[in-house]
């Protein structure tokens, strides 16, 4: 439940509520809303509806500003722990030299080792379009050089003047 769904103080428009005091963490029972609001005001705190679907709704006496801050802090911390997946792209041509292919394969292996996805692309120019099988051979050669370190997300396919495939790192179990 987000903070926007919570009703506080005068926004609570039901006759009776089940009251829980935050400082004692125990139920006070079912009391009229006006009385619960009075208790909250006496303590200098807010009356927050935590379970609006219950009959009667459950409310808690707490410091709403502090509660909201703690929730935002939890959300921020959970975002920090998420791993952002990046898609790296390696481009080559069908008439690539052996050494260049080794070099690019090492880069692909490095990217996969860092946990990134890799899009391997072969670009065809001019008359090379008549021999797309050469591009497929290059991609198969790359796969042979990085054997066992990848999971293929997308098999080699033509997209206009480009033939590409997408690889992701093998999960470590």
């Amino acid at each position: 439940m987000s903070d926007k769904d919570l009703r506080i103080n005068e926004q609570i428009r039901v006759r009776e509520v089940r009251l829980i005091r935050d400082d004692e963490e125990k139920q006070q029972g079912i009391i009229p809303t006006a009385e619960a609001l009075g208790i909250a005001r006496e303590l200098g705190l807010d009356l927050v509806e935590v379970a609006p679907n219950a009959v009667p709704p459950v409310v808690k006496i707490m410091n709403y500003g502090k509660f909201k801050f703690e929730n935002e802090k939890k959300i921020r911390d959970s975002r920090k722990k998420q791993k952002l997946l990046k898609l790296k792209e390696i481009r080559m041509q069908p008439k690539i030299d052996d050494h260049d292919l080794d070099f690019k394969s090492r880069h692909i292996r490095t990217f996969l080792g860092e946990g990134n996805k890799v899009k391997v692309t072969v670009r065809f120019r001019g008359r090379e379009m008549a021999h797309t099988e050469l591009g497929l051979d290059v991609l198969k050669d790359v796969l042979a050089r990085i054997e066992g370190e990848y999971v293929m997300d997308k098999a080699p396919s033509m997209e206009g003047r480009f033939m590409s495939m997408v690889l992701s790192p093998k999960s470590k179990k």
Side-chain angles (χ1 to χ4, degrees):
M1 179 184 286
S2 70
D3 295 339
K4 291 170 180 60
D5 298 339
L6 297 175
R7 288 191 287 237
I8 59 169
N9 300 331
E10 284 81 22
Q11 294 173 348
I12 302 169
R13 302 212 177 273
V14 290
R15 218 166 16 129
E16 292 181 325
V17 292
R18 183 176 303 275
L19 180 66
I20 299 174
R21 290 191 46 176
D22 199 28
D23 53 350
E24 299 166 8
E25 276 298 330
K26 63 180 184 186
Q27 287 194 21
Q28 300 289 96
I30 298 171
I31 61 171
T33 306
E35 189 179 322
L37 196 55
I39 294 170
R41 289 270 150 62
E42 254 177 55
L43 296 170
L45 298 170
D46 299 302
L47 190 65
V48 182
E49 190 176 45
V50 290
N53 298 333
V55 179
V58 179
V59 295
K60 213 173 194 181
I61 295 177
M62 65 172 86
N63 183 342
Y64 183 66
K66 183 178 177 185
F67 172 75
K68 198 170 166 183
F69 174 76
E70 295 289 332
N71 275 357
E72 287 171 4
K73 192 173 174 184
K74 282 181 195 170
I75 292 168
R76 273 197 309 272
D77 288 345
S78 70
R79 277 198 201 118
K80 282 181 189 173
K81 291 175 184 149
Q82 288 178 350
K83 172 97 172 82
L84 288 171
L85 268 177
K86 290 184 181 168
L87 179 68
K88 303 280 191 171
E89 185 174 18
I90 297 284
R91 286 190 171 180
M92 46 189 86
Q93 292 182 326
K95 52 184 185 207
I96 188 168
D97 189 50
D98 221 22
H99 171 265
D100 295 332
L101 202 55
D102 272 341
F103 186 78
K104 301 246 183 191
S105 296
R106 274 199 308 273
H107 273 292
I108 293 169
R109 193 177 286 123
T110 305
F111 293 149
L112 290 172
E114 292 170 356
N116 297 313
K117 287 187 172 196
V118 182
K119 181 176 184 179
V120 185
T121 306
V122 177
R123 183 182 67 192
F124 298 97
R125 293 179 0 201
R127 293 185 193 159
E128 292 173 350
M129 283 298 289
H131 300 286
T132 55
E133 71 278 355
L134 294 176
L136 188 59
D137 291 342
V138 168
L139 292 179
K140 285 181 180 175
D141 198 6
V142 167
L143 292 177
R145 290 169 192 248
I146 61 167
E147 190 60 47
E149 297 185 30
Y150 66 89
V151 174
M152 189 173 296
D153 286 354
K154 185 175 152 278
S157 63
M158 284 298 292
E159 298 164 6
R161 296 190 151 278
F162 299 95
M163 180 181 283
S164 63
M165 65 181 175
V166 178
L167 307 173
S168 57
K170 204 170 228 178
S171 59
K172 296 172 180 117
K173 289 183 181 172

